Amino acid sequence: MSTFSLNQKNNLPLSNTSEIIENIEIDSLENEIWTEEELSKFKTLYYKTIDTLEKQNENQKFEEEIIAFTQNLNFKNLTKSFQDIYLLGIIAATKRSKITKNNTKKTKLTTEYIFEGKLICFNAFKIIYGIGDRRWKNLQENFNHCDINLRINSKTEKIGNRALSFEAVMKVINFIRNYAKQNGLPSSERSFRNNTTAIIYLPADTTYSSLHAQYLEAIGIDNQFEIGITTFCTIWKKFLPHIKKLIPRSDLCLKCKDMRFNANYWSIEEKDIKVLEWQNHIEWAHKERENYKKYIKIAYEDIQKFGINNLIRPGKPNSLDITGDIYFKSLYKVHLFGICDNALPCQVNYLIKESELVGKGADTVISLVHNYFELHRLGEKKLVIHADNCSGQNKNNTMIAYLAWRVLTGLYDSITYCFMVAGHTKFSSDGFFELIKLLLRKSEVDNHDDLVKVVQNSTPGGFNIAQTIFDNNGKQIVHFYEWTDWLKQEFTIIPNILKQHYFEFNSLDKGKVKISTFSDGEKTTIQIKKIKQKDKFNLLVEKKLSGLSAERQWYLYEQIRNHIQNPNKKDDLCPLLTIAKPVKFK
């Protein structure tokens, strides 16, 4: 409701009107800022009109003043094209007859100026709508020639950028959409949010200018929808941001890419076979994606849902002001391994220094997963894990044996291990990685602590958690073990494991695993726990951190140290060495 605070005197003089305006609480006025010049000009011209209405009482004058202010502000909030349409409508409604009283034809268009059902002067009309003489004259001329159609630039003979009709914008949008349907390649569903549109990639040789030229050729001689390349690109980026150009480093499905871009080279006989094969591939990828989403929905119950991935390897130092020679140098490397808990959601990111890495195979991945269960497990008894199809790290017999061991020892009642189709493996952990990369690009990173802060500050709610190998007191928190040698003493291998995408372990069938090529396919039960056991088992051996070689340490000291901007942090990664200098660096 609008409320007004009025002076106690009923006959408030016009000189005190500002006291009323300051106390008005109208939603449309809350965020508007009037300069003293604008306010003075509006009041002066408006009251010249009010003075001609002598029979009005002061309260009615006040109400019309508020309406005029509101009308002016509402008109300013419209785009220029909508303002033109509104003013052309006023001209059409208030134009006088073209024939004079003497039955002669008028040479100019004349209109009446009406506000709230009363005649007002032209100056008051211009102030109420915030327009000038030239704009009003141009609108009148446009009305004489084109009626209420939008104005066209006299030089370019095109509709201005701010006056594009709805039909013209839709023409561009539909053209780009249709082109993307025929030539685009759907992405591997890199976003895990339900309200996000999947990205479509156009061929790499597609350019904005070439597509704009095809658009102009498509509309032919219909100049009504002809627009420039700048406007064409603006509409594209504003309304179709999910349609992008393919770049050489796009991590798309190789099968989809070959099917889409090689279709022109197929024979008629091949097309039927290839299309059916591609359709089955897409349906399979969609089913696995739906299976992934299904587990996310039920993750809030008693089932814990994880996604594991090893995606990026940032280098240090990372500076916003990079000199040219640093591109040709090998920076200090940090490996980033993420485990995302979709039930919370949050992601634990293991930051492994170059000197702390013991390898990138199954032993390292299992050691990190094992540490996650020890430090971050919530006491759940059912577990679902999704991972990409990296055979060296995730899909291997050692990882399968490790999960079977956890169920066998009673740590879990059931574990489901799923893999999405290769090339269609984008899921939640990739989203958290991207947030880290976004902040890393604009951050100064001179040591390991700076990188930890980047990870922790990459999300406002602290959903990205940094986990280092050593704590602040130098105590090792994460340990690496030789899991492969230890587990193969008790478990056998699964034949053709790379073809399988679904593994299920249950406490009711300890030592067995159900496997399937599809998540909804027929399950085959395999005994992976050896029946004949050894009398003695070797103990689980911890791997020692090898550290950096002397050659690598000297390289970092001589080539990388000078790129660290903060002098107090130079010794953190590239300290002054006491070991002998290799012959290569002498």
Side-chain angles (χ1 to χ4, degrees), residues 396-397 399-405 407-408 415-419 491-495 497 500-516 522-529:
N396 53 68
N397 284 286
M399 175 62 82
I400 299 301
Y402 170 76
L403 297 177
W405 170 78
V407 174
L408 187 65
I415 296 178
T416 303
Y417 195 31
C418 305
F419 295 89
F491 296 94
T492 61
I493 64 173
I494 297 176
I497 189 174
Q500 311 305 322
H501 288 75
Y502 182 88
F503 302 85
E504 183 181 329
F505 310 87
N506 197 290
S507 58
L508 300 177
D509 290 320
K510 292 183 178 181
K512 298 179 181 180
V513 58
K514 293 180 180 180
I515 64 173
S516 176
E522 184 179 352
K523 310 295 188 298
T524 302
T525 303
I526 296 179
Q527 176 77 33
I528 60 172
K529 186 178 183 298

Side-chain angles (χ1 to χ4, degrees), residues 172-198:
V172 177
I173 292 175
N174 290 332
F175 172 80
I176 299 174
R177 277 180 176 171
N178 293 333
Y179 184 88
K181 286 181 180 179
Q182 296 177 8
N183 304 279
L185 178 67
S187 70
S188 52
E189 298 193 48
R190 61 185 57 249
S191 177
F192 61 95
R193 296 183 178 89
N194 293 328
N195 60 349
T196 304
T197 305

Side-chain angles (χ1 to χ4, degrees), residues 533-545:
Q533 299 292 334
K534 292 183 179 181
D535 296 334
K536 282 187 176 182
F537 286 97
N538 297 328
L539 297 176
L540 184 60
V541 179
E542 182 177 354
K543 290 186 176 183
K544 294 183 179 180
L545 305 182

